[in-house]
Amino acid sequence: MSRFDTILIVDWSGGKDRGASPKADAIWAGVNRGGAAEPPVYLCNRQEAERWLSDFFASELAAERRLLAGFDFPFGYPKGFCGALTGCEDPLALWDWFGARIEDAPEANNRFDLAGEINRQLGGNGPFWGNGLARDIDGLPRRKEGYHNPFADKRACEHRANGAFTCWQMAGAGAVGSQVFMGLPVLARLRRAFTVRVWPFERLDAPIAFVEVWPSLTVGPAPAGQVKDAWQVSEAARQIAALPAATLADILDVNAPEEGWIFGLGHEADLTAEAPPPLRNDCFALPPGVHWTPVEEALAVLKERLHPLTGRETLPLSEALGRIAAADVDALRANPPLPNTAVDGYGFAGGREAGTHALPLMEGRAAAGDAPVELRQGHAIRVLTGAALPEGVDTVVLQEDVLREPGQIRFSGPVRQGANTRRAGEDVQAGEPVLRAGARIRPPELALLAATGLAELPVRRRLRVGVLSTGDELVESGEDAGSGQIYDANRPMLLGLARRFGYEPVDLGRAADDRAALRDRLDCAAQDADVILTSGGASAGDEDHVSALLEEAGALALWRIAVKPGRPLALGVWNGVPVFGLPGNPVAALVCTLVFARPAMALLAGEGWREPQGFEVPAGFAKRKKAGRREYLRARIRDGRAEVFASEGSGRISGLSWAEGLVELPEAALEIAPGDPVRYIPYDSFGL
């Protein structure tokens, strides 16, 4: 399980009570629930923190929320220590060992004495060092110099985390040893009081998961006027809450059975990716009094209210094909970087007038990849296509126009100065934009980026499009269909559309006409998808549960759009994720996806609003149309004319495959005769 409803991050302290007024270097807790941050909580000592944590865990369990709780101290020690001290290699046995021996009060504790006792038990002045008390402690050296450590200085994760301190240090700047001594007993008691699993030692199949965190791994300096620890716990909780479920699962996939691991180590770029703000619940609300929404008005609302929801990541050029640029990208190097020759021929200085010219030929040649040489004054030199021009060369004559003789060349003029050469940077100058934010990266863009020195670039994460079919009447294609049942055609179609648009399709399966089950399905979907497409249940009938649930959540906009095929389109926001409730009819579902969901998803993906490119072509059909609705006819081009499918019935799915695009007819009444101009939008224009 990798889905969590609440993220809690705790900055711990091994010191004494800090008093009622919030201070740095105390215990701070940051909470992010359902993507919403709460003010950081100040806890003056460990006793108060343990009471607060116990109450917090109980309230989360009562609300049936799954909790990931991160604590900023090591959960284990370097390999071998646990077994040497407890006789058992289970690191959780070490938690209980500390819990049975640590004595803790707000103003005093025995952590330094216990460290000395452990050192003596293990036979010398180590592994612990650093005495923060005025009195000496037998077995605990005040400094690291001269002490003996029978174990590794750091865990494997600490070697990889730049700036991480050793857990053997008990006092002094950056010491985390005291936090471990004073934190593990508290976690051991909470673990026994609640159903908790500890990462990475246990499978996270319980309502509460404990993970080790180090906020400084991904959280930068606090804004002016804010306490660093308070800022870090809130920001770390926000970063984890914003992670896609698949990324969270990757982060949790760690094998460190004895030493433990720092959450997010190796995935810093995932945690620091820019997180766009969530959509408001009212983002789809139409103006009061609107009953039948014209297509243009519906599109204008979507364009105005939506914004990108995908975060950023940096990818090497080899993995960027099909992705969307997350920022403007400038050329690192000019193209071409040096003046070069456009042809095979002979280079020299200056142009030549009409007449016959002879030039002595310099030995050697200039080929692509050669370092530029210097031209001997008054001479010519052999040059090959793409070669950097030798110093002193500014003109090239084609080899086909040259008579080569021993030691010289002859050719006829005129030849203009600069002929057959390329200037440095005549294509792109260094520092010039070569890619704009929102651009889709195609093979031509890869060529330009590579030519100008780019090895990696910032891109938007792929938009995750969840597709859910609803209805008791649906069965999977290939299964036995009972009387009154039909095969689910919409889900394969919509998943295919998402993939062709360049997004990541997320198959959410089918949901029966059961409101509670559908609610659970949407809850899970909101963790795994950036946008949800449902088909069926989008109107206002007894079994239209999609629109009913969105209405219960206070986020329903049931648009009755003046469009054929289509009309009902349920729009809303479920747990911060936009939902497009499409009609259940496959023809209407496809048309509504192309016309409404496609440009909206492009905005959500960071690509900007995509207007499909249509063309005026002669009609290859006749039709009389009433006023009131915009119509989309399944069509294709034959012999330069748009022909339409024989039936306009929404149940004729075969017409979607027969067609290669759509003919768009405006809302006004029309009488179309063969040869009249009509607007044709090819499927390719939508990105299919």
Side-chain angles (χ1 to χ4, degrees):
M1 296 175 67
S2 59
R3 182 177 67 85
F4 295 92
D5 305 298
T6 304
I7 307 298
L8 166 69
I9 302 297
V10 180
D11 182 279
W12 201 250
S13 173
K16 63 181 182 180
D17 188 285
R18 302 296 291 172
S21 179
K23 297 178 179 65
D25 300 321
I27 299 175
W28 288 90
V31 177
N32 192 294
R33 186 180 290 112
E38 299 184 4
V41 178
Y42 170 73
L43 301 161
C44 66
N45 58 51
R46 287 177 297 279
Q47 291 71 32
E48 180 183 343
E50 186 170 352
R51 287 191 293 271
W52 184 88
L53 288 168
S54 182
D55 291 343
F56 184 82
F57 291 174
S59 66
E60 292 299 295
L61 291 175
E64 297 184 348
R65 287 190 287 262
R66 193 159 184 260
L67 169 68
L68 183 144
F71 298 86
D72 77 328
F73 53 81
F75 281 10
Y77 284 88
K79 187 176 182 179
F81 174 74
C82 179
L85 187 62
T86 70
C88 173
E89 294 183 356
D90 180 2
L92 297 177
L94 185 63
W95 290 27
D96 293 329
W97 191 95
F98 276 112
R101 290 163 176 80
I102 282 290
E103 299 169 2
D104 192 12
E107 295 295 337
N109 60 73
N110 68 336
R111 66 186 189 274
F112 295 113
D113 293 291
L114 183 59
E117 179 183 324
I118 294 172
N119 284 353
R120 295 193 303 273
Q121 180 178 330
L122 295 177
N125 293 326
F128 295 102
W129 61 274
N131 178 4
L133 301 179
R135 60 181 173 85
D136 290 336
I137 296 176
D138 183 22
L140 183 63
R142 291 190 177 276
R143 295 177 179 82
K144 188 175 183 181
E145 292 80 5
Y147 98 119
H148 173 68
N149 187 352
F151 309 102
D153 189 52
K154 291 183 177 182
R155 299 178 296 163
C157 61
E158 287 153 353
H159 282 293
R160 288 186 53 180
N162 291 333
F165 281 73
T166 173
C167 51
W168 307 121
Q169 182 181 350
M170 295 296 296
V176 297
S178 287
Q179 289 178 263
V180 182
F181 271 49
M182 309 313 297
L184 291 185
V186 174
L187 298 192
R189 288 190 291 272
L190 290 170
R191 180 171 170 263
R192 289 195 297 272
F194 298 93
T195 306
V196 174
R197 296 291 182 267
V198 181
W199 176 84
F201 310 134
E202 299 177 305
R203 178 180 173 83
L204 301 186
D205 55 1
I208 301 175
F210 284 175
V211 300
E212 174 187 335
V213 297
W214 183 33
S216 294
L217 183 71
T218 58
V219 179
Q226 292 196 33
V227 175
K228 173 189 172 184
D229 294 341
W231 157 256
Q232 286 197 332
V233 293
S234 294
E235 181 64 6
R238 183 201 64 77
Q239 289 177 348
I240 297 174
L243 288 171
T247 305
L248 178 59
D250 287 342
I251 291 175
L252 293 173
D253 186 13
V254 166
N255 181 25
E258 181 178 346
E259 294 188 337
W261 197 258
I262 299 169
F263 179 92
L265 183 61
H267 294 266
E268 291 85 348
D270 293 312
L271 286 161
T272 56
E274 179 183 348
L279 292 179
R280 304 185 314 274
N281 274 359
D282 63 351
C283 67
F284 295 122
L286 292 172
V290 174
H291 301 292
W292 283 94
T293 307
V295 170
E296 288 302 328
E297 186 172 335
L299 293 174
V301 170
L302 294 174
K303 186 175 182 180
E304 175 191 355
R305 305 281 180 80
L306 300 180
H307 58 72
L309 292 180
T310 49
R312 296 171 50 156
E313 61 182 333
T314 299
L315 289 181
L317 214 57
S318 59
E319 299 176 18
L321 182 64
R323 302 298 283 271
I324 298 165
D328 292 349
V329 177
D330 297 337
L332 296 180
R333 187 188 193 196
N335 183 51
L338 295 170
N340 66 80
T341 175
V343 298
D344 291 340
Y346 296 86
F348 46 86
R352 294 296 187 271
E353 301 294 334
T356 302
H357 304 275
L359 287 173
L361 186 62
M362 181 177 163
E363 290 183 2
R365 67 175 193 177
D370 290 349
V373 298
E374 184 176 355
L375 178 70
R376 191 179 306 165
Q377 187 173 4
H379 285 62
I381 186 173
R382 173 73 165 150
V383 293
L384 302 180
T385 302
L389 293 180
E391 186 176 345
V393 171
D394 61 14
T395 304
V396 175
V397 62
L398 274 76
Q399 66 179 18
E400 294 88 346
D401 297 335
V402 170
L403 177 63
R404 182 166 177 168
E405 298 174 340
Q408 71 170 9
I409 60 169
R410 286 195 294 128
F411 58 92
S412 297
V415 178
R416 65 174 177 81
Q417 185 175 16
N420 301 311
T421 64
R422 306 185 184 103
R423 300 185 311 278
E426 72 173 25
D427 180 25
V428 178
Q429 293 284 349
E432 183 180 337
V434 288
L435 194 68
R436 293 294 187 185
R440 177 80 67 168
I441 299 165
R442 306 167 301 167
E445 281 72 36
L446 293 179
L448 178 58
L449 293 164
T452 52
L454 277 301
E456 59 181 26
L457 66 155
V459 297
R460 290 279 183 181
R461 296 184 184 277
R462 287 194 190 276
L463 186 75
R464 299 167 303 161
V465 180
V467 177
L468 174 66
S469 293
T470 68
D472 289 338
E473 73 279 11
L474 298 177
V475 294
E476 200 74 13
S477 180
E479 295 178 354
D480 292 334
S483 177
Q485 290 186 309
I486 58 174
Y487 293 122
D488 183 4
N490 282 342
R491 203 167 90 257
M493 176 181 70
L494 296 174
L495 289 167
L497 286 173
R499 186 174 289 108
R500 287 297 296 267
F501 293 156
Y503 308 140
E504 179 185 337
V506 180
D507 190 351
L508 303 176
R510 302 190 316 275
D513 288 324
D514 180 280
R515 196 161 300 181
L518 181 57
R519 180 185 291 107
D520 291 341
R521 190 69 64 90
L522 289 174
D523 284 342
C524 292
Q527 299 291 326
D528 298 328
D530 301 306
V531 60
I532 300 170
L533 304 181
T534 70
S535 61
S539 191
D542 292 345
E543 297 298 330
D544 291 319
H545 298 295
V546 172
S547 53
L549 283 173
L550 291 174
E551 187 169 24
E552 285 179 17
L556 172 68
L558 188 58
W559 290 7
R560 292 172 61 82
I561 301 177
V563 64
K564 178 184 177 182
R567 289 198 297 181
L569 187 62
L571 300 171
V573 178
W574 188 269
N575 291 347
V577 176
V579 179
F580 284 78
L582 302 168
N585 185 289
V587 175
L590 178 73
V591 169
C592 285
T593 299
L594 296 182
V595 175
F596 303 107
R598 170 58 173 137
M601 289 192 294
L603 257 183
L604 298 172
E607 192 175 5
W609 188 260
R610 283 182 56 99
E611 295 276 358
Q613 181 65 54
F615 307 91
E616 275 204 351
V617 298
F621 62 94
K623 175 178 172 61
R624 179 177 295 175
K625 175 190 173 297
K626 295 180 180 179
R629 289 198 287 172
R630 184 174 299 190
E631 295 189 15
Y632 292 90
L633 310 178
R634 288 151 281 177
R636 63 187 185 186
I637 301 295
R638 292 294 183 270
D639 298 325
R641 294 190 170 208
E643 62 180 38
V644 298
F645 191 57
S647 170
E648 295 181 18
S650 294
R652 298 288 295 273
I653 303 175
S654 61
L656 296 176
S657 175
W658 173 93
E660 296 165 358
L662 301 172
V663 161
E664 181 185 58
L665 302 179
E667 286 81 355
L670 287 175
E671 186 160 349
I672 301 170
D676 288 347
V678 293
R679 185 170 190 252
Y680 174 74
I681 309 174
Y683 281 158
D684 286 349
S685 188
F686 293 104
L688 298 186

